[in-house]
Amino acid sequence: TELGSISSDSVKDADNDTKIQVEESSDEDKIRFDVAGSEFAVMDGSTLDVTGNVIYNTALNAQTAAYTFVLADRGKLVSVSNGSAVACTVPPNSSVAFAVGTSIQVMQYSTGQVTITAGSGVTLRATPGLKLRTMYSSCTCTKIATDEWLITGDLDD
């Protein structure tokens, strides 16, 4: 509500106990977030280190027919509701360039069995199979290489 000071390396509140600080020391290359005098997050080039609880809501993407993942599915739960069998396809990197490490969750929300299928040139790694076992089963699809995904969860042959 009120800023106490702004300098070239930090933004502070009026009583100096809450701030965003860039480079606490020379060449540190970090951004620090302090609230009420306690540091709760530090960002550097590839890491966000958080102290305390992280609260987030997973976005949902409801589907009722065969579906191919899109870039916007990253980090979402794709729920599939259909009385008949449905396929969810993992597209090749040439069609949808998900970053390695991307995860997409899939849930079978009805009686129609959901099968995770590979797009052209995609390799899926799973055991024992690529079908969700039953209604309310779920899996996580994680990209582990350019056209390779690991499928883990409540799976069946």
Side-chain angles (χ1 to χ4, degrees), residues 39-53:
E39 184 176 277
F40 76 91
V42 178
M43 289 176 45
D44 65 17
S46 62
T47 305
L48 173 61
D49 184 6
V50 178
T51 302
N53 296 329

Side-chain angles (χ1 to χ4, degrees), residues 129-140:
L130 292 167
K131 295 179 179 182
L132 294 180
R133 188 177 56 81
T134 190
M135 189 169 167
Y136 307 123
S137 291
S138 66
C139 70
T140 301

Side-chain angles (χ1 to χ4, degrees), residues 31-139:
I31 300 173
R32 298 174 183 279
F33 298 87
D34 297 356
V35 176
S38 296
E39 184 176 277
F40 76 91
V42 178
M43 289 176 45
D44 65 17
S46 62
T47 305
L48 173 61
D49 184 6
V50 178
T51 302
N53 296 329
V54 176
I55 300 169
Y56 64 95
N57 297 312
T58 301
L60 302 178
N61 178 0
Q63 297 296 319
T64 58
Y67 181 69
T68 300
F69 296 144
V70 297
L71 205 53
D73 290 322
R74 177 178 166 254
K76 287 186 180 177
L77 171 62
V78 176
S79 65
V80 182
S81 181
N82 193 309
S84 300
V86 178
C88 283
T89 302
V90 178
N93 191 72
S94 59
S95 296
V96 181
F98 291 106
V100 171
T102 292
S103 289
I104 300 168
Q105 296 177 26
V106 180
M107 176 183 77
Q108 181 176 316
Y109 201 46
S110 189
T111 56
Q113 190 168 42
V114 175
T115 302
I116 308 301
T117 61
S120 178
V122 174
T123 300
L124 301 178
R125 310 284 186 197
T127 189
L130 292 167
K131 295 179 179 182
L132 294 180
R133 188 177 56 81
T134 190
M135 189 169 167
Y136 307 123
S137 291
S138 66
C139 70

